[in-house]
Amino acid sequence: MVFVGWYAASILWAEDKMYALQYCAYVVLATLTVLYTTQICRSPSRLTAAFKLVFLLISVEIFLSALEGLGLIRLPFSPYSQYYAYFGREPEDLSGFGVWASEYIASLPTGFFSNPNNLAAFLALALPFFALHQKWLVRIVATSAILYIVYMCGARSVLVACGLTLTICVFVWGGIAGRFGGLMTASLVVTIVGAGTLDLVSGSSNTRILELEGLGGAIGDFWASLRGDAVLVDSSTGARAQLIRNGLDALYDSGGLGVGAGGSWVIQEKSLFQVREITSMHNFWIELLVEGGVLFALLFAAWYARFLVQLWKVAKSSRSPERRYLAKSLFAGFAGFIIGAIGPSTVIYMLPMWMLVGIGLSVIMLDSGESEIADSAKSSHRRPVERLAMAGRTALPRFN
């Protein structure tokens, strides 16, 4: 409610009122999604039923997106589909691209999100549900499929997020066998890299392999552009750095108050260093900071940290195996999402992400409620005994 209230109040000082109203609509829908999800999952049985449906829908998403990545299908509501116009949107015009670029775009999975970056970020968030699944076949197949889809999306930051998420799943929540397997896999990767196998990679003609090979250089370009050592807007990382600089400059000019809801779009449109007609911040956390201001960003960060801490507590101490599994998965997913959220243009309107927030809050509240009931039951068992002992010491008659 603070989120909604602050963004609504910021309409007063937002420069573009229409953008502000649009962003407020996003925030209201996000909040309603969270609240509605917690109402649906208000009992353990309803939480189980809801999660089974969510798990099924995400599995369908993975299956169809993998087929898109393999080039076997193209979903009709993808912006790269010739049928996209039937959904009220203009399809992407690929006529101006060369053969190489057209083939690259044709293999981009978009799933139900109509955007490869959003698809990759959400699947990275959902990755732990499959990586921590009790069935080994589901773990191997689904985890491999998600990593393949993220790789085909070309989302390098999301691949890093997947690495962090899997590290938590294996070395924090995994058993001895899982930790040993993860250690062996990590050692194998380091050995291959150290043996100079990447020399073969650097000579590859595969665009996605070259993107991965250049990840280290891309990070260096990002920091150089962010510090102002160079303006590399022709590269993806340089463009993202310039977008952030535009936003932080506007935040400084606002005195830390923030530019208001939707203001990040106005900043990019009016900036002297306008980056290739890009109007989104392409970093969710900086977007919240620039639009909401320093105080709001600190409040949101504190809420997010508390959310993770509460999930950690449920994962470590819940009496319910199902809630422990959900809490572990959500903790790992949202920890990795700290990095994953900087891949898409924005995730503020990613309603499935907010739905998982609602499931996480439901897990926390249900477990907290049962813990209180259990503590109350223990206390009620002790009180009669304590009262009887007190009575024996003070009121019972003595017998010689």
Side-chain angles (χ1 to χ4, degrees):
M1 301 311 296
V2 172
F3 201 174
V4 173
W6 182 249
Y7 263 57
S10 71
I11 296 176
L12 297 175
W13 62 84
E15 184 173 349
D16 191 306
K17 307 303 182 185
M18 291 305 298
Y19 280 165
L21 289 172
Q22 183 175 343
Y23 253 67
C24 284
Y26 291 153
V27 173
V28 169
L29 288 174
T31 304
L32 289 176
T33 300
V34 173
L35 295 177
Y36 188 55
T37 304
T38 57
Q39 287 299 308
I40 291 174
C41 304
R42 62 180 179 269
S43 68
S45 61
R46 292 172 68 90
L47 173 64
T48 300
F51 175 71
K52 286 181 178 179
L53 177 59
V54 170
F55 191 87
L56 174 62
L57 293 175
I58 296 176
S59 300
V60 172
E61 173 87 85
I62 294 171
F63 177 71
L64 295 177
S65 299
L67 292 181
E68 280 193 308
L70 292 169
L72 299 178
I73 66 170
R74 171 60 73 190
L75 295 176
F77 39 79
S78 168
Y80 310 122
S81 168
Q82 58 181 326
Y83 305 108
Y84 196 46
Y86 292 103
F87 296 88
R89 305 291 294 276
E90 286 293 328
E92 294 286 341
D93 183 12
L94 305 180
S95 59
F97 293 94
V99 176
W100 167 81
S102 298
E103 291 178 352
Y104 179 84
I105 294 173
S107 62
L108 284 173
T110 56
F112 296 130
F113 288 88
S114 298
N115 183 287
N117 286 328
N118 288 17
L119 170 65
F122 179 73
L123 290 185
L125 180 59
L127 174 61
F129 292 118
F130 300 91
L132 295 174
H133 199 275
Q134 60 182 352
K135 295 183 179 179
W136 277 98
L137 184 61
V138 174
R139 291 187 190 185
I140 296 172
V141 174
T143 300
S144 301
I146 289 175
L147 293 177
Y148 171 74
I149 294 167
V150 173
Y151 164 74
M152 292 302 293
C153 288
R156 292 178 292 187
S157 62
V158 180
L159 273 177
V160 175
C162 288
L164 173 60
T165 299
L166 289 176
T167 299
I168 295 173
C169 291
V170 171
F171 293 102
V172 177
W173 305 127
I176 296 177
R179 293 172 185 173
F180 178 77
L183 186 61
M184 293 298 294
T185 302
S187 301
L188 180 62
V189 171
V190 171
T191 302
I192 292 174
V193 174
T197 307
L198 284 181
D199 291 339
L200 299 175
V201 172
S202 60
S204 173
S205 59
N206 188 299
T207 305
R208 291 180 175 84
I209 292 179
L210 292 177
E211 286 177 341
L212 292 180
E213 189 268 338
L215 180 59
I219 295 175
D221 290 346
F222 175 81
W223 286 114
S225 298
L226 194 61
R227 293 195 306 267
D229 298 342
V231 181
L232 305 171
V233 295
D234 291 335
S235 67
S236 174
T237 51
R240 289 173 182 271
Q242 186 59 54
L243 291 170
I244 293 174
R245 292 188 64 188
N246 293 344
L248 294 180
D249 288 343
L251 175 67
Y252 179 81
D253 292 339
S254 72
L257 177 65
V259 296
S264 59
W265 286 6
V266 181
I267 292 168
Q268 306 305 342
E269 289 177 347
K270 298 179 62 176
S271 173
L272 295 176
F273 297 97
Q274 214 281 333
V275 183
R276 294 184 290 175
E277 298 183 357
I278 300 174
T279 57
S280 298
M281 187 64 69
H282 282 75
N283 188 311
F284 181 56
W285 314 115
I286 300 297
E287 179 183 329
L288 292 179
L289 171 63
V290 171
E291 293 190 349
V294 175
L295 179 59
F296 173 78
L298 290 175
L299 287 173
F300 193 92
W303 170 83
Y304 199 91
R306 178 173 171 79
F307 181 56
L308 290 176
V309 169
Q310 294 291 346
L311 287 173
W312 173 274
K313 291 179 179 179
V314 175
K316 298 292 286 187
S317 60
S318 176
R319 298 177 176 86
S320 167
E322 181 185 30
R323 284 200 291 276
R324 285 201 304 272
Y325 160 71
L326 290 176
K328 289 177 181 179
S329 301
L330 289 164
F331 175 86
F334 279 103
F337 198 66
I338 295 174
I339 298 176
I342 68 177
S345 58
T346 181
V347 297
I348 198 167
Y349 51 67
M350 189 186 289
L351 297 186
M353 179 268 291
W354 294 109
M355 178 186 62
L356 291 183
V357 172
I359 290 178
L361 292 174
S362 298
V363 169
I364 293 169
M365 289 188 291
L366 285 173
D367 201 77
S368 175
E370 288 196 1
S371 298
E372 291 177 1
I373 292 173
D375 292 341
S376 176
K378 289 180 181 178
S379 178
S380 65
H381 283 304
R382 288 195 298 266
R383 285 169 186 160
V385 177
E386 293 170 356
R387 285 197 296 269
L388 182 60
M390 289 295 295
R393 286 196 295 269
T394 58
L396 290 181
R398 294 184 177 182
F399 294 92
N400 294 328

